[in-house]
mmCIF file of all heavy atoms in Angstrom:
data_model
loop_
_atom_site.group_PDB
_atom_site.id
_atom_site.type_symbol
_atom_site.label_atom_id
_atom_site.label_comp_id
_atom_site.label_asym_id
_atom_site.label_seq_id
_atom_site.Cartn_x
_atom_site.Cartn_y
_atom_site.Cartn_z
ATOM 1 N N GLY A 15 73.100 -10.365 -18.886
ATOM 2 C CA GLY A 15 74.019 -11.493 -18.680
ATOM 3 C C GLY A 15 74.256 -11.796 -17.226
ATOM 4 O O GLY A 15 73.590 -11.262 -16.330
ATOM 5 N N ALA A 16 75.232 -12.662 -16.992
ATOM 6 C CA ALA A 16 75.510 -13.194 -15.639
ATOM 7 C C ALA A 16 76.606 -12.379 -14.965
ATOM 8 O O ALA A 16 77.753 -12.821 -14.860
ATOM 9 C CB ALA A 16 75.917 -14.666 -15.743
ATOM 10 N N GLU A 20 81.295 -8.012 -6.761
ATOM 11 C CA GLU A 20 82.374 -8.286 -5.812
ATOM 12 C C GLU A 20 82.219 -7.410 -4.578
ATOM 13 O O GLU A 20 81.509 -6.407 -4.603
ATOM 14 C CB GLU A 20 83.730 -8.045 -6.475
ATOM 15 C CG GLU A 20 83.973 -8.979 -7.659
ATOM 16 C CD GLU A 20 85.306 -8.728 -8.332
ATOM 17 O OE1 GLU A 20 86.015 -7.799 -7.983
ATOM 18 O OE2 GLU A 20 85.584 -9.511 -9.264
ATOM 19 N N THR A 28 82.967 -3.480 -7.783
ATOM 20 C CA THR A 28 83.225 -4.010 -9.141
ATOM 21 C C THR A 28 82.240 -5.141 -9.458
ATOM 22 O O THR A 28 81.961 -5.975 -8.615
ATOM 23 C CB THR A 28 84.694 -4.524 -9.245
ATOM 24 O OG1 THR A 28 85.578 -3.459 -8.945
ATOM 25 C CG2 THR A 28 84.974 -5.072 -10.629
ATOM 26 N N TRP A 29 81.731 -5.066 -10.659
ATOM 27 C CA TRP A 29 80.855 -6.146 -11.192
ATOM 28 C C TRP A 29 81.619 -6.754 -12.362
ATOM 29 O O TRP A 29 82.269 -6.045 -13.142
ATOM 30 C CB TRP A 29 79.565 -5.563 -11.689
ATOM 31 C CG TRP A 29 78.665 -4.989 -10.660
ATOM 32 C CD1 TRP A 29 78.854 -3.850 -9.927
ATOM 33 C CD2 TRP A 29 77.439 -5.533 -10.209
ATOM 34 N NE1 TRP A 29 77.792 -3.628 -9.072
ATOM 35 C CE2 TRP A 29 76.919 -4.658 -9.250
ATOM 36 C CE3 TRP A 29 76.682 -6.653 -10.563
ATOM 37 C CZ2 TRP A 29 75.691 -4.895 -8.614
ATOM 38 C CZ3 TRP A 29 75.495 -6.893 -9.930
ATOM 39 C CH2 TRP A 29 74.991 -6.022 -8.951
ATOM 40 N N TRP A 43 78.568 16.423 -5.138
ATOM 41 C CA TRP A 43 78.941 17.807 -5.536
ATOM 42 C C TRP A 43 78.038 18.763 -4.777
ATOM 43 O O TRP A 43 76.846 18.476 -4.635
ATOM 44 C CB TRP A 43 78.800 18.038 -6.985
ATOM 45 C CG TRP A 43 79.826 17.347 -7.805
ATOM 46 C CD1 TRP A 43 81.110 17.758 -8.017
ATOM 47 C CD2 TRP A 43 79.702 16.132 -8.511
ATOM 48 N NE1 TRP A 43 81.782 16.891 -8.804
ATOM 49 C CE2 TRP A 43 80.946 15.870 -9.122
ATOM 50 C CE3 TRP A 43 78.675 15.206 -8.675
ATOM 51 C CZ2 TRP A 43 81.176 14.717 -9.886
ATOM 52 C CZ3 TRP A 43 78.910 14.094 -9.428
ATOM 53 C CH2 TRP A 43 80.134 13.858 -10.022
ATOM 54 N N VAL A 75 67.560 10.943 -13.524
ATOM 55 C CA VAL A 75 68.920 11.461 -13.696
ATOM 56 C C VAL A 75 68.802 12.779 -14.444
ATOM 57 O O VAL A 75 68.142 12.898 -15.464
ATOM 58 C CB VAL A 75 69.808 10.452 -14.473
ATOM 59 C CG1 VAL A 75 71.171 11.032 -14.707
ATOM 60 C CG2 VAL A 75 69.875 9.130 -13.739
ATOM 61 N N ALA A 77 71.485 14.752 -15.767
ATOM 62 C CA ALA A 77 72.407 14.889 -16.895
ATOM 63 C C ALA A 77 73.341 13.681 -16.918
ATOM 64 O O ALA A 77 73.529 13.035 -15.887
ATOM 65 C CB ALA A 77 73.216 16.174 -16.782
ATOM 66 N N ARG A 84 90.293 3.922 -25.995
ATOM 67 C CA ARG A 84 90.624 2.615 -26.557
ATOM 68 C C ARG A 84 92.048 2.259 -26.262
ATOM 69 O O ARG A 84 92.913 3.131 -26.120
ATOM 70 C CB ARG A 84 90.407 2.616 -28.074
ATOM 71 C CG ARG A 84 88.958 2.727 -28.441
ATOM 72 C CD ARG A 84 88.756 2.406 -29.912
ATOM 73 N NE ARG A 84 87.433 2.715 -30.381
ATOM 74 C CZ ARG A 84 86.389 1.878 -30.373
ATOM 75 N NH1 ARG A 84 86.560 0.679 -29.893
ATOM 76 N NH2 ARG A 84 85.209 2.285 -30.753
ATOM 77 N N LEU A 93 85.036 2.971 -20.889
ATOM 78 C CA LEU A 93 84.027 4.054 -20.934
ATOM 79 C C LEU A 93 83.869 4.575 -19.541
ATOM 80 O O LEU A 93 83.446 3.812 -18.645
ATOM 81 C CB LEU A 93 82.728 3.547 -21.495
ATOM 82 C CG LEU A 93 81.591 4.623 -21.500
ATOM 83 C CD1 LEU A 93 81.859 5.675 -22.546
ATOM 84 C CD2 LEU A 93 80.232 3.953 -21.712
ATOM 85 N N ASN A 97 76.574 10.012 -14.153
ATOM 86 C CA ASN A 97 75.155 10.345 -14.110
ATOM 87 C C ASN A 97 74.941 11.256 -12.932
ATOM 88 O O ASN A 97 75.469 10.974 -11.829
ATOM 89 C CB ASN A 97 74.331 9.058 -13.996
ATOM 90 C CG ASN A 97 74.521 8.162 -15.178
ATOM 91 O OD1 ASN A 97 73.988 8.408 -16.253
ATOM 92 N ND2 ASN A 97 75.291 7.094 -14.984
ATOM 93 N N GLU A 105 79.594 7.476 -10.699
ATOM 94 C CA GLU A 105 80.618 7.198 -11.685
ATOM 95 C C GLU A 105 80.590 5.707 -11.994
ATOM 96 O O GLU A 105 80.619 4.897 -11.069
ATOM 97 C CB GLU A 105 82.015 7.576 -11.152
ATOM 98 C CG GLU A 105 83.096 7.197 -12.127
ATOM 99 C CD GLU A 105 84.497 7.438 -11.545
ATOM 100 O OE1 GLU A 105 84.685 7.237 -10.325
ATOM 101 O OE2 GLU A 105 85.384 7.826 -12.312
ATOM 102 N N THR A 106 80.498 5.379 -13.279
ATOM 103 C CA THR A 106 80.566 3.987 -13.710
ATOM 104 C C THR A 106 81.689 3.901 -14.715
ATOM 105 O O THR A 106 81.790 4.708 -15.643
ATOM 106 C CB THR A 106 79.262 3.531 -14.354
ATOM 107 O OG1 THR A 106 78.795 4.544 -15.253
ATOM 108 C CG2 THR A 106 78.196 3.290 -13.296
#
Side-chain angles (χ1 to χ4, degrees):
E20 297 179 356
T28 300
W29 293 71
W43 288 280
V75 177
R84 291 192 191 271
L93 176 71
N97 298 285
E105 176 185 37
T106 45

